[in-house]
Amino acid sequence: MQHILTRSLDRAATTFILVVAGLGILISLSNILLPAGSFFQVPTYLVALFGKYVCYAILALSIDLIWGYCGILSLGHGAFFALGGYAMGMYLMRQIGSRGVYGNPILPDFMVFLNYPKLPWYWHGFDMFWFAALMVLLVPGLLAFCFGWLAFRSRVTGVYLSIITQAMTYALLLAFFRNDFGFGGNNGLTDFKDILGFNVQADGTRVALFLLSCFSLILAFLICRAVVTSKLGKLLIAIRDAESRTRFLGYRVESYKLFVFTLSACMAGVAGALYVPQVGIINPSEFAPGNSIEAVIWVAVGGRGTLTGAALGAVVVNYAKTYFTSGPLAPYWLFMLGALFILVTLLLPKGIVGTFNAWWEPWKAQRISDADESAAREDGIEPKPNPAE
Amino acid sequence: MNVMDPRVTSAILYLDGVHVSFDGFHAINNLSLALEPGEMRAIIGPNGAGKTTMMDIITGKTKPDEGVVLFDGSTDLTRLDETRIAELGIGRKFQKPTVFESQTIEDNLLLALNVDHSVKGTLFWRGSKDESERIDRVLETIRLKDVRRKMAGSLSHGQKQWLEIGMLLAQDPKLLLVDEPVAGMTDVETHQTAELLKEINKEKTVMVVEHDMTFVRELGVKVTCLHEGTVLAEGSIDDVSSNERVIEVYLGR
Ligand SMILES: Nc1ncnc2c1ncn2[C@@H]1O[C@H](COP(=O)(O)OP(=O)(O)OP(=O)(O)O)[C@@H](O)[C@H]1O
Ligand SMILES: [Mg+2]
């Protein structure tokens, strides 16, 4: 355990964790302690907005883990995010109880409206938080496992894999749109009241959810770091760069891909579950293929294969999105996003953090080799002085 | 057939009547060949003779349409995949040197070591003294010790060839298939490679594909000449190189 931590926490990783934790605590404290309306007070709606960004950052991490390190370009990760979100949404729906418009103690409003005679079997258990939380991990994880098992065993890679992940999220989009599918159809799940007995609208709950999201981001980041700095991480990169070579070394590539793909889907599910109570709604549009593509763009902008870049990209792009879509430029946002993607691909192929590293690393490497040399001198293996001198 | 079956041949590698065609083009035609344990065999032949394809068949990359491919006299290789075949102890160096370019030289060797290759094993892997000593020894052998922390992608073509041979050593297989190991090497490096392969052959069975006849001569082992997917001649280098058909299709050009 100790050695995994020391290995995972290099300077950049430690900085990242400190920044996330620091900002999380500062924003929360300013919201709680400072009087409303004062200049330094972060209003609650902003706390919720930042919380949303943090959830996106977790989704971006999960994509970077498979795309940046293992070369699996999933264009359907939004599906795992949305499934996690629906699992949480189902819990929140069951918490409404008889406070709904129709006052039915068991059936959510949309079921009463659609004349459901009783609760569908797959809604059972979601009145318990622990069960819903388990499903947040299990449903996306299981789908990813089955999907990955079929795809990786048949050696579907590259563009073909990306296309079938798109098809997967699109199929789910269509399914969730249907009223008889049992998840509220078009309108999705909304009008939430409580989470674990706390009012989801209350300031305190929002701050708590934001802090929990920051904590989850740090945890997800640590898990990703532990994976990519292990020998398995080196192997993932080897698979990314020369997949068939690793087979000839005796590695079962599909098992490794299945492992990271499933892990990544579980992380995306957690991100979705944290997202739903903060935005107050989950509907089928979360499965839209465009969402998954957007998430990949965040990672590309921040820098794939860097983890910190993925998180940064998610926040930067979404901040820009919030900024532009709330102004007169709103209709042009998608064009701007497209342009951003093209610009980054052409000018900053390594993304923000990747470019920074490329510039910084030679310098750091120099320092390390200097340190090595001085260590060697201390060990007394200094080259023998030339007698001719 | 499984490992429990009695050996049907003493050969460590046995190919009989193997056929492969790609969209009607017969790349391998009734190919039969046997390597005895501990042997080193040089394979020569013109471009497109099917030398690389033969290695693809042995390592499970290509499935033959017909024929028998046995390892250790009893294991049917045509029914196994690349991973399983590698686990059995067949290692391969590719014609185009294939190393993990964005990783360091020592990490390339670390990944090649024949240790626990399960997901769990690699995730919770911790280096051991034994492993780092093995890597050190290989680095010494392939003369890349001073640059062990450099990225494999920054190596010259010849050095990449050596690194890939080093990965074979780390993999520690029983049978090594080495495809054009001296392409892109200077004369000195070629000589060193021949020495290295002879050294490796003291413990392991080796199959080397090479066009460089000086190098093949230096190995001083039995030679098989392939042509149009079948064995054209087999024997000592002098026998093979004086064979009329071999001169006609290969050496005479
Ligand atoms: N996957 C494939 N699909 C179609 N044709 C192939 C395939 N692999 C090999 N071939 C063809 O089979 C023939 C034998 O190729 P191979 O690479 O085995 O030759 P080689 O003896 O290794 O030649 P060289 O000395 O140039 O390396 C060639 O004509 C090649 O084009
Ligand atoms: Mg070849």
Side-chain angles (χ1 to χ4, degrees), chain A residues 155 241 251-252 256 372, chain B residues 81-82 102-103 111 117 149:
Chain A
R155 302 201 182 168
D241 294 344
Y251 290 99
R252 206 151 277 292
Y256 286 89
D372 275 1
Chain B
D81 66 1
E82 300 97 314
S102 63
Q103 306 199 53
L111 286 172
H117 279 181
R149 299 237 183 115

Side-chain angles (χ1 to χ4, degrees), chain B residues 86-137:
Chain B
E87 282 170 354
L88 284 175
I90 299 183
R92 172 172 189 185
K93 192 204 87 62
F94 288 79
Q95 181 164 351
K96 176 178 176 289
T98 315
V99 296
F100 306 123
E101 309 237 334
S102 63
Q103 306 199 53
T104 63
I105 290 157
E106 52 184 4
D107 281 350
N108 269 265
L109 295 175
L110 173 68
L111 286 172
L113 284 178
N114 60 336
V115 291
D116 183 1
H117 279 181
S118 69
V119 170
K120 199 169 154 224
T122 41
L123 184 59
F124 297 106
W125 169 88
R126 294 185 75 167
S128 69
K129 196 150 177 279
D130 174 58
E131 285 185 17
S132 53
E133 279 171 8
R134 278 179 65 190
I135 292 177
D136 285 348
R137 271 202 302 278

Side-chain angles (χ1 to χ4, degrees), chain A residues 27 31 90 93 109 112 119 133 154 164 185 217 287 341 353 382:
Chain A
I27 291 172
N31 176 274
M90 288 162 80
M93 286 309 265
D109 278 349
V112 181
L119 201 66
S154 330
I164 58 171
L217 175 62
F287 286 104
F341 184 56
V353 171
E382 202 175 355

